[in-house]
Structures are given as structure tokens and as C-alpha cells.
Amino acid sequence: MSNFFITTAIDYINGRPHLGHAYEKIGADVLKRYKLLTGGSSYLLVGTDEHSINVLKSAQEKGLDPKTYCDQMAGHFRHLCSVFNISYDRFIRTTDSDHKKVVQQVVQRLWEHGYIRKDLYAGFYCESCEAFLQEELLLDGYCPNHPTKKAVWVNEENYFFTLSRFQKQLEDHIQSNPEFIQPESRRNEIVNRLQAGLRDISISRSSMQWGIPFPQDESHTVYVWFDALLNYLTGAGCGSPNAVSQENWPPDVQIIGKDITWFHCIIWPAMLMALNLPLPKKIFGHGFLNLHGEKMSKTSGNILDPLQLAEEYGTDVVRYYLMKAIPWGQDGNFTLEGLITTYNNDLANDYGNLLSRTTAMINKYFNGQIPAPGVQTAAEVNIRAAAEETIENYHRFMAEMRYVNALTAVMQLIGTANLYIEETAPWQLFKDSSQHSRLASILYCLVEIIRLATWMLTPFMPSLKERVWSQLGLAGQEKVKCFTWGCEYDNVRINRQSPLFPRL
Ligand code: MSP
């Protein structure tokens, strides 16, 4: 196990994945790729949450047994990851046998330590959230998160986890670790809700057969959220709660959507406290990807097919747009017009154009060979300073998952480079042989900016580098230093091709 451990929420699989599912994984993958790019190692966990009532119902509707149905659906989620270049290290399924073992061992341990008791549960339940709901939160009998889904009345004897015992410990942890729940707005929501006081929660269902058998009473299954949250322990490769070590635990960041912060910031840490295990360093609740102003969700049918988008515009372009258009942590609207405008402005006009102009000029003025720098003026000193400042800002933004800021900084550098071409007018210098050495410096600077910007874009657009290196003649020269100005291009011949991002 490597040192920077990232997890994502595991998806319900009662329908095919939509773009909202892809969104979360892309954000997590960007962070993992960034960690790798900066010389670190990282482990990314993704997967599927399979023991839900809706999965059971969907399987029944199709006349399939739930496991067969899950095998098929999990395949679609894996495919989504592969199309979107999600570089996960494990794709965990809650039907995996090692996970079942971990869940049962955890229940056993909590039982032995007196954290589980039997009681009657009588109340409302939302089958889409898979959550027990307080009556006062319902809107006309409907779940506030699923306005098309009427909450069902549940009345059964269940096993309860003594969540209320962790109130003080949770309050103290959240207060003394401001980084624990991010962004700030999510932290405030949790702190406010926590003030209302914690109640013990039901962690078994007697009316649900599709699930992991409750070890003390096989007529019950483990409540799907209790089961699902433990995927992080299984996925860490612990194999058992006793096998947790500093090598594999705790996660550095757990990335989830804002609708499931309560489960992750309260219930999950309390489970870990009861197990006497370290808590994750950070839980980051990103915002919703909306379509026509409403959350993309299969319950409301308001969804976009990520595979079709990737097919039409390319994976890199969709990834870039999602990370550039919506500040990670906030809600944002997906629009095709937005995607096309962002593509045309940033990728076709600014980045693509810079590459195209630079390679054309190197062909024309230097016979296709990247020149070494020659005479330099203040303009060259300034553009190098701009690049170095961008790199510094980029690292700061990436470390905080401020992806929009990081991408904006890179695009500003590209804009500065395009302006630099206008201001230095290489086509004039070419006419004057005494300016040849300066001309070499200008083209060298432009290649440096393209190279550095490409590295910075790599976490967002994993296939970009290969295509650009092919045009710059850098293929196979991975030794080119990542984030440092001053690469030496010995005998590198560019290989100009058709535009990287043709205008749409
Ligand atoms: N199975 C639970 C999570 C268990 S984690 C131990 C679940 N599944 S889900 O399929 O409903 O959602 C999976 C993740 O996708 C969640 O983090 C959720 O917030 C995210 N998203 C689902 N729709 C989304 C958008 N429209 N926009 C952004 N993220 C969205 O909750």
C-alpha cells in the first residue's frame, strides 16, 4: 500500500452510471494523478454498493437473482472507470467475499465491546437514500432528497449501534481538526446538526434478505450503510479490522457527495472510534452536478449518459470541462453549450493554437528542430518568471483540490504565451538575421511553456501528454523534468500534425 490513500463513495447499481457518478471519480482521479506526477505514490479506491433494496427490486424486475444482476451492473461501472481513465487501484464490490468477512468481524467486535444492543425501530425509511428518516424532515411524506420517492413505514426489531455514546468525542474531534470536514460549508452543516444530539442507529434489517448476514442473528442482515461504509477498511487491504496498520490506514482523503456527509462525518467516524481505529484525515464533500438546475439522479430520471459524451467529445475534453466549469466543492450546471464554449476557448483557441503556432514557426524558422535559447531580453526573463509563478500557484491549488483555480492559472499562462508571440512578432525577427539568436530564445520559451502547461494539465487530461509529446518530438523522452524550467532539447525534431483540438 502506498502513502496517499484516496477513497470515493461506492455507487448504488440499480441503474447504469450517469455523469454525476463519473464526476466524483474524475475529481478523485485528478488528485491521485497529481500525487503521482509530483513523485509521490497514491492508492485510489472506487467500487459498488450492492446490497440495497433498489438493487434487489431491479434484479427482480429483470427476473435475475441479485448477484447475477450485480455482476452485470458492476461491469457497467467498471467500464465507466475505464472509459474515463480512472486509475483506481481496487474496484471493491460489497458482495466481495473479503468484504463480507470484514463486516462480520467488525459487527462481532462491536458486539463484544458492548456497542450493539437490540431495540424496536419504528419510523420512516427512504429506499433511495437507504436511510431512516425523522418524520419532521419529510415533505408531505416524501424524502427531502428524493421528491419522487414516498418514504415507507418500517416497524421491526433491530440491532442498534450506540452512536449516541460518541457525541462528545465527535464534537471534540471536529473542533480540534478543522481540516477533517471540508469544505467549510459542509463542516458547518455537520456541526449544527450534531448540536441537536445523536440517537443510536439501527444497523440491521430483519425484513431484508439481500445483504450480509448479521453474525449474532442470521435472520437479520447488516444495514446497507453500515456494510457500505466498511468498504473503506476492506478496500485498504486490511483483510480484517485487526490487520490495520500505519501502512494502510487511515485514508488521507475520502471524497463523497454532499448528500452523504452525515454518514461519513458522523456515523463512520463513530464506527472507527468504537473499533479504536484512526479516523480519516479528511472528508471532502463535493457538490452536485446539475442538469437544467436540478441534481442529476436516476431517481428523478434527470441524467446524462457519460459514455455517449465521451464518445462524442473525447474523455479528456469531458474531464477538463467538468473540472474547469464547476468549483470542486460547489454545485454546478452541466450544459453542452458550456462544454463547447470551454473547449473552443481554452483548448482550441488558447492551448491548441499555441502548440500549432509554435510548431509551425519551428518548422519554418529552425527547420523543425527545437532551438537552444540564445540572446535573451526582459521579455524572456518575464515569461519564465510567469511560468514559474504559475507552477507555484498550481501546486498550492492542487494540494487544496482547487481545480478551477489551478486550471485557470494554467490557461492564463497559455494566454500570456500567445500574447508574447504577438508582442515579440517572431515573423519580423526572422527577416533580420542579426535577430536569429533572439528568435531561438523566443521559440525555446514557447516550447517550455507548452511542456510545463502540458504537465500541469496531465492529471485532468491523461491522454494529452502523449499526443503533445508526439508533436514536439518528445515521445519516449519522459526524463524531461516535470515542473522545472530549462529542459535541454538535444536534437529534438518536432513532428507537426493536424490540430490537437479542432474548433467545434
Ligand atoms: N451507495 C451510497 C454511497 C455509499 S459510500 C460508503 C450512494 N450511492 S450513489 O450511487 O447514490 O452515489 C454515489 C456517489 O455519487 C455519492 O457520493 C453521490 O453524492 C455522488 N453523486 C450522485 N449523483 C451525483 C450528482 N448528480 N453530482 C455529483 N455527485 C453525485 O450514495
Side-chain angles (χ1 to χ4, degrees):
M1 167 73 84
S2 43
N3 49 29
F4 198 89
F5 181 18
I6 308 166
T7 70
T8 58
I10 49 172
D11 302 320
Y12 290 134
I13 53 171
N14 54 307
R16 296 215 179 182
H18 58 71
L19 196 62
H21 294 126
Y23 177 69
E24 179 171 302
K25 288 168 194 48
I26 294 167
D29 185 59
V30 167
L31 186 60
K32 170 170 172 182
R33 289 178 184 274
Y34 171 70
K35 292 287 166 192
L36 297 182
L37 198 60
T38 48
S41 52
S42 181
Y43 185 90
L44 172 61
L45 180 65
V46 304
T48 46
D49 189 355
E50 308 193 354
H51 292 126
S52 86
I53 181 85
N54 285 326
V55 165
L56 182 64
K57 285 184 177 170
S58 302
Q60 284 164 347
E61 274 163 27
K62 292 205 152 56
L64 294 172
D65 74 278
K67 182 62 169 59
T68 309
Y69 172 80
C70 286
D71 290 347
Q72 286 178 6
M73 294 308 292
H76 292 301
F77 282 79
R78 263 186 216 276
H79 182 58
L80 174 81
C81 289
S82 119
V83 169
F84 278 86
N85 264 317
I86 308 299
S87 54
Y88 62 79
D89 295 276
R90 173 161 177 188
F91 188 100
I92 189 169
R93 298 178 54 188
T94 52
T95 49
D96 287 344
S97 57
D98 61 341
H99 179 64
K100 178 178 170 191
K101 201 175 107 203
V102 167
V103 171
Q104 292 191 321
Q105 283 180 351
V106 165
V107 173
Q108 181 66 34
R109 194 152 133 182
L110 296 184
W111 179 268
E112 284 162 9
H113 287 81
Y115 290 115
I116 294 178
R117 64 179 177 80
K118 206 167 187 183
D119 207 344
L120 188 75
Y121 182 81
F124 286 96
Y125 192 83
C126 170
E127 291 184 344
S128 287
C129 297
E130 287 283 8
F132 297 95
L133 298 176
Q134 288 169 26
E135 192 164 358
E136 53 275 25
L137 292 179
L138 299 182
L139 303 172
D140 254 354
Y142 286 85
C143 163
N145 287 331
H146 297 99
T148 55
K149 198 87 186 183
K150 204 155 186 133
V152 292
W153 179 257
V154 172
N155 190 351
E156 53 186 41
E157 190 163 55
N158 285 343
Y159 291 91
F160 279 67
F161 169 58
T162 56
L163 180 66
S164 59
R165 281 171 56 183
F166 297 94
Q167 171 98 27
K168 173 84 174 71
Q169 224 177 312
L170 284 164
E171 281 171 357
D172 290 349
H173 186 82
I174 294 171
Q175 204 190 3
S176 47
N177 295 280
E179 285 294 303
F180 179 54
I181 304 173
Q182 286 291 316
E184 191 72 17
S185 53
R186 311 265 181 268
R187 181 171 187 267
N188 296 339
E189 281 161 22
I190 293 291
V191 168
N192 289 339
R193 213 175 138 188
L194 189 55
Q195 277 165 3
L198 291 176
R199 298 186 202 169
D200 293 349
I201 55 157
S202 164
I203 57 159
S204 79
R205 301 295 311 276
S206 61
S207 54
M208 175 76 172
Q209 260 115 60
W210 173 236
I212 298 179
F214 203 78
Q216 280 69 32
D217 180 347
E218 297 239 331
S219 67
H220 284 241
T221 52
V222 177
Y223 168 46
V224 59
W225 265 102
F226 202 81
D227 157 358
L229 288 164
L230 290 170
N231 92 82
Y232 303 127
L233 265 187
T234 315
C238 303
S240 130
N242 300 325
V244 168
S245 73
Q246 278 184 352
E247 296 283 291
N248 53 22
W249 198 261
D252 290 274
V253 56
Q254 301 210 264
I255 293 174
I256 53 161
K258 67 174 188 178
D259 50 338
I260 54 175
T261 47
W262 183 253
F263 290 99
H264 283 82
C265 302
I266 297 296
I267 298 176
W268 169 231
M271 288 162 67
L272 290 169
M273 285 169 174
L275 290 166
N276 213 7
L277 292 178
L279 304 195
K281 292 185 192 151
K282 184 184 297 206
I283 296 166
F284 190 96
H286 62 75
F288 285 156
L289 186 61
N290 293 336
L291 188 63
H292 312 305
E294 267 180 50
K295 183 194 176 201
M296 223 178 264
S297 112
K298 51 187 170 257
T299 318
S300 59
N302 184 33
I303 49 179
L304 269 182
D305 179 1
L307 301 183
Q308 202 180 325
L309 273 177
E311 167 97 31
E312 213 155 309
Y313 299 99
T315 301
D316 275 2
V317 171
V318 180
R319 284 176 62 119
Y320 179 85
Y321 168 64
L322 290 175
M323 295 298 112
K324 175 82 190 306
I326 307 165
W328 186 238
Q330 294 175 26
D331 293 351
N333 221 16
F334 179 96
T335 65
L336 267 187
E337 303 76 64
L339 183 143
I340 292 168
T341 308
T342 303
Y343 171 91
N344 278 338
N345 289 347
D346 292 10
L347 301 179
N349 291 359
D350 290 351
Y351 180 85
N353 204 15
L354 178 65
L355 178 70
S356 172
R357 291 165 97 186
T358 304
T359 51
M361 289 191 286
I362 293 175
N363 265 352
K364 191 160 173 203
Y365 308 148
F366 291 94
N367 236 342
Q369 188 162 328
I370 301 177
V375 169
Q376 301 197 17
T377 71
E380 285 66 61
V381 173
N382 289 343
I383 199 125
R384 174 178 175 166
E388 287 173 341
E389 194 186 328
T390 304
I391 293 168
E392 211 178 298
N393 290 334
Y394 170 83
H395 286 310
R396 190 162 46 84
F397 293 138
M398 291 300 281
E400 294 172 8
M401 283 187 269
R402 289 165 64 187
Y403 299 146
V404 172
N405 300 76
L407 288 173
T408 304
V410 176
M411 282 305 145
Q412 272 166 0
L413 178 65
I414 300 285
T416 304
N418 275 320
L419 206 66
Y420 171 70
I421 299 180
E422 298 307 319
E423 285 168 359
T424 55
W427 45 92
Q428 302 289 2
L429 301 179
F430 179 60
K431 291 182 196 149
D432 178 352
S433 60
S434 73
Q435 293 292 326
H436 201 251
S437 170
R438 165 93 199 285
L439 184 61
S441 296
I442 293 171
L443 284 157
Y444 174 81
C445 287
L446 293 172
V447 171
E448 277 303 80
I449 297 222
I450 294 169
R451 182 180 67 81
L452 293 167
T454 305
W455 277 117
M456 289 190 267
L457 292 172
T458 295
F460 300 90
M461 298 196 279
S463 328
L464 179 71
K465 183 161 62 77
E466 209 172 302
R467 298 170 66 207
V468 176
W469 277 196
S470 155
Q471 294 220 17
L472 287 178
L474 297 176
Q477 300 211 21
E478 292 291 316
K479 64 180 183 344
V480 283
K481 288 160 281 172
C482 245
F483 288 119
T484 321
W485 181 279
C487 187
E488 283 175 22
Y489 301 103
D490 309 321
N491 273 321
V492 174
R493 298 199 69 80
I494 58 131
N495 170 28
R496 195 164 188 273
Q497 294 151 26
S498 51
L500 209 53
F501 297 110
R503 254 187 90 80
L504 288 177

